[in-house]
Amino acid sequence: MMRFVVLALAVLLAGCQARFLQDQAPSQLEHVKSALQVYADQMKQSAHKALTHLDGTEFADYKQFLGQSVDNLHGYLQGGFQAIGPVGGQVLEATKDTREKLAKDVEELRKKIEPMREELRQVLQKHFEEYRGELKPFIEEYLTKQQKFMEEMKTKLEPLVKSLKGKIEVNWEETKSKLMPILEAVREKVAEHIQALKTLLEPYIQEYRDQVEKGAQEFRQSVKSGELRKKMEELGTEVKPHFEAIFAAVQKAMSKA
């Protein structure tokens, strides 16, 4: 298992770094190892954090087993990172000539096809110009016909719109003449019901007013005659012993505390 992890990581690093692991292969290798180390640590933390969601569920018994599996895998990766330096260096050294030849071939191919690419661009541009030349008369004729059609429609619709505008004004007046009697009948019926309700409630309203006025007169009379003051003094005399008893009970409770 350990050898498989080491070899897989070595091949991965060799493929990923083939473009730029030439003159500074060791430093680039260390950089990739460091990045993979950080990634492995983050994956371990995320896995353990996800396993906390198993608490209190029917899969809670599997949490310890899965957590141990995550730790074991992280340990394999740690061992692989430690052993990847020599293996990765050997792989890079063994593929150095191939990588250099590949880079050289790519550069030569780029220089070779650059003129061809320019020729292709010119050919495509020429073809597009031909297509545009073929389509231009059709498009111009279509646009001209559409513009002419719109002008004709505008000319035909103008008297129709004017006629409709005049008819709408006349029709509105006719509609209003038929609608107003309906509204007037409804208004009269509503006013009739309101007046009937007012007539029905008027005695009760007047009685209420009389009761309010009588109460106000009696209150003013009691204030003026001193009767209200006398009643308030009698009420104070009646409730004073109750307040004194409450005050004494509170004082007694506070003294005991």
Side-chain angles (χ1 to χ4, degrees):
M1 179 67 178
M2 184 68 177
R3 292 179 180 177
F4 173 76
V5 173
V6 171
L7 181 59
L9 291 173
V11 173
L12 175 63
L13 289 173
C16 294
Q17 303 299 316
R19 294 178 55 192
F20 44 84
L21 290 182
Q22 296 179 0
D23 297 334
Q24 298 180 348
S27 61
Q28 294 288 351
L29 184 60
E30 290 298 326
H31 175 72
V32 175
K33 285 172 57 179
S34 177
L36 290 175
Q37 177 70 50
V38 173
Y39 178 74
D41 293 341
Q42 291 177 349
M43 289 295 294
K44 177 183 176 181
Q45 294 175 4
S46 300
H48 279 289
K49 184 177 180 181
L51 290 176
T52 58
H53 296 290
L54 297 178
D55 293 336
T57 67
E58 57 182 330
F59 303 105
D61 296 338
Y62 296 99
K63 178 181 177 182
Q64 183 177 0
F65 169 74
L66 294 175
Q68 186 62 45
S69 299
V70 171
D71 293 338
N72 293 340
L73 179 58
H74 185 264
Y76 294 148
L77 292 176
Q78 291 282 3
F81 296 149
Q82 296 299 326
I84 199 173
V87 178
Q90 293 174 7
V91 173
L92 292 173
E93 185 63 28
T95 59
K96 180 178 179 182
D97 294 339
T98 303
R99 289 184 288 108
E100 291 177 352
K101 185 178 185 303
L102 177 61
K104 182 180 179 181
D105 291 343
V106 169
E107 181 62 22
E108 291 178 354
L109 181 61
R110 185 188 66 79
K111 292 179 180 180
K112 181 178 179 180
I113 66 175
E114 181 63 26
M116 300 179 186
R117 188 186 66 83
E118 179 61 24
E119 292 177 0
L120 176 62
R121 187 188 66 80
Q122 293 177 2
V123 169
L124 290 176
Q125 186 175 0
K126 176 185 175 182
H127 292 169
F128 289 144
E129 290 294 336
E130 293 177 356
Y131 301 151
R132 185 161 50 201
E134 292 288 339
L135 290 172
K136 185 176 180 180
F138 171 77
I139 295 175
E140 289 180 349
E141 182 182 358
Y142 174 78
L143 292 176
T144 302
K145 288 183 178 180
Q146 286 296 114
Q147 186 175 3
K148 183 179 179 181
F149 174 75
M150 295 302 296
E151 291 294 334
E152 292 176 354
M153 290 297 297
K154 181 180 179 182
T155 303
K156 292 180 180 180
L157 287 174
E158 188 171 349
L160 178 60
V161 172
K162 185 177 181 180
S163 175
L164 286 174
K165 183 178 179 180
K167 288 182 178 180
I168 289 174
E169 293 178 356
V170 175
N171 291 342
W172 167 244
E173 292 297 329
E174 183 179 358
T175 302
K176 187 168 64 173
S177 65
K178 302 300 181 182
L179 179 63
M180 291 306 296
I182 298 174
L183 296 177
E184 184 64 23
V186 172
R187 188 193 65 80
E188 290 178 356
K189 183 60 65 175
V190 171
E192 179 182 343
H193 283 282
I194 292 176
Q195 184 61 39
L197 182 62
K198 184 178 178 181
T199 303
L200 178 65
L201 296 177
E202 184 64 29
Y204 300 100
I205 295 174
Q206 187 59 42
E207 182 179 358
Y208 175 76
R209 290 175 181 172
D210 295 342
Q211 292 292 337
V212 171
E213 182 64 24
K214 181 179 179 181
Q217 290 179 358
E218 291 178 353
F219 179 77
R220 288 195 295 268
Q221 184 65 29
S222 62
V223 172
K224 186 176 181 180
S225 63
E227 183 178 355
L228 178 62
R229 181 177 180 181
K230 181 179 179 181
K231 290 182 178 180
M232 293 298 294
E233 290 177 350
E234 292 176 352
L235 179 62
T237 303
E238 291 178 3
V239 301
K240 182 177 179 181
H242 299 287
F243 280 105
E244 289 177 347
I246 293 172
F247 182 72
V250 171
Q251 278 190 328
K252 183 176 180 182
M254 291 179 65
S255 63
K256 289 182 178 181

